[in-house]
Amino acid sequence: MDNAIHDAIISETCDIFSNDWTGSIICRFFNVKCLDLNNKSTPYVNYKTMQRDNMSKKEAFYQNIISFNPEEQAKIILELCDDYMGNSTDRVLKLKHRLIEWHKDLLPDLEGVDNQLVDECKNMLEIYPESNSIYLKALSFYDLGGIERDVIDNMRLALEVLFKKILGNDKTLRNNINLILGALKDTVNPQIRNLVRTNIDIYNRFNDDNVKHNHNVNDETAFLIEMTSAIMKYVLIHLR
């Protein structure tokens, strides 16, 4: 099958989770999945059956996951990666990267951003290559399912570098806000300028309170990419 999940991804998934889970947890997990996905062919949803067949945890996990079609497998593996709380975080992150990189077509519901806004921002940033490079790095982290704080921190840095280049100084994002707004004074409606200030202030506080302290920001990542892109685009339209 052309869209089959790569053997290396299946094997790594089985290895990580069969090591972390007991046989009974494996059976309970796949029992829920076979009910959710209406899959009657999952062989080991009962621990007694697994014991009867003298089945190892890894082999039982493997037989269970291959009973699902590729799209279902991709969704299951992505869910496992997102919910992982064990001791193999680096392996799980790499596994998620490869799953999205190789099989993004099997994950149509993967959270996405406004591609038109992002593309417009990328084009406008070409005249500021230092900022653009960091912006593209953040998008790459996002596309490959990277750690959310890395995505958002690079987005913030791209915005900070853009302001530095526009203003010709080396100040922090927080210290450049008033200078950017001052530069916008003659070209932007005061209410809109205040809205830009509010958005940047909220962005800074969110970064300080959540991203820098490793708080979970998973649900906000796409929104913050779009928010950063919108601020960049607006500033570039009026100041480039």
Side-chain angles (χ1 to χ4, degrees):
M1 180 180 291
D2 290 338
N3 64 344
I5 297 289
H6 196 284
D7 287 345
I9 290 177
I10 295 293
S11 177
E12 181 72 346
T13 303
C14 294
D15 192 53
I16 293 170
F17 290 93
S18 65
N19 281 330
D20 282 2
W21 290 0
T22 65
S24 59
I25 290 175
I26 290 171
C27 292
R28 286 202 300 272
F29 175 80
F30 280 104
N31 183 62
V32 171
K33 289 302 160 192
C34 83
L35 293 172
D36 287 347
L37 299 172
N38 193 25
N39 182 0
K40 297 180 181 178
S41 62
T42 308
Y44 295 106
V45 295
N46 186 303
Y47 187 53
K48 290 182 179 179
T49 306
M50 187 175 158
Q51 289 179 310
R52 181 200 66 200
D53 292 351
N54 196 26
M55 190 65 59
S56 70
K57 292 189 296 177
K58 186 173 182 178
E59 182 61 23
F61 197 105
Y62 174 77
Q63 293 296 335
N64 279 348
I65 199 164
I66 65 170
S67 72
F68 295 88
N69 66 47
E71 186 171 341
E72 292 168 343
Q73 290 171 5
K75 289 178 180 178
I76 289 170
I77 295 170
L78 184 64
E79 176 187 331
L80 289 169
C81 291
D82 285 341
D83 294 342
Y84 184 74
M85 299 180 65
N87 296 319
S88 300
T89 304
D90 290 344
R91 289 177 69 189
V92 170
L93 179 58
K94 184 176 181 180
L95 175 65
K96 182 178 178 181
H97 282 183
R98 291 293 175 258
L99 175 68
I100 295 174
E101 182 181 10
W102 296 350
H103 300 295
K104 197 170 185 178
D105 57 313
L106 295 174
L107 297 163
D109 296 328
L110 194 66
E111 184 187 62
V113 298
D114 183 337
N115 289 324
Q116 181 177 347
L117 174 61
V118 167
D119 287 343
E120 290 173 351
C121 190
K122 284 192 291 188
N123 290 335
M124 297 177 76
L125 278 174
E126 287 180 354
I127 60 174
Y128 295 102
E130 295 92 342
S131 176
N132 193 36
S133 175
I134 301 167
Y135 183 77
L136 294 175
K137 180 180 178 182
L139 293 175
S140 177
F141 277 139
Y142 178 78
D143 287 340
L144 294 178
I147 297 172
E148 287 78 13
R149 66 160 293 168
D150 289 341
V151 178
I152 296 172
D153 204 39
N154 276 282
M155 276 286 156
R156 182 207 58 77
L157 181 59
L159 183 63
E160 180 174 87
V161 170
L162 176 64
F163 284 8
K164 288 179 180 180
K165 295 302 177 182
I166 290 174
L167 296 168
N169 66 33
D170 199 37
K171 297 179 183 291
T172 65
L173 177 60
R174 189 180 303 279
N175 290 331
N176 264 334
I177 292 174
N178 285 335
L179 295 176
I180 281 288
L181 293 173
L184 290 169
K185 183 176 180 181
D186 296 330
T187 60
V188 177
N189 179 285
Q191 284 80 19
I192 298 298
R193 196 168 66 248
N194 287 336
L195 180 61
V196 173
R197 177 197 295 277
T198 299
N199 281 333
I200 296 175
D201 283 342
I202 292 172
Y203 186 90
N204 258 327
R205 289 200 299 272
F206 180 89
N207 192 274
D208 289 342
D209 295 343
N210 294 279
V211 179
K212 290 182 180 179
H213 301 293
N214 287 310
H215 291 180
N216 184 14
V217 293
N218 183 52
D219 294 339
E220 293 88 6
T221 305
F223 173 75
L224 285 169
I225 290 173
E226 292 172 358
M227 181 176 175
T228 309
S229 302
I231 292 171
M232 286 177 156
K233 178 183 173 182
Y234 190 79
V235 170
L236 285 166
I237 287 172
H238 292 280
L239 294 182
R240 66 175 176 172

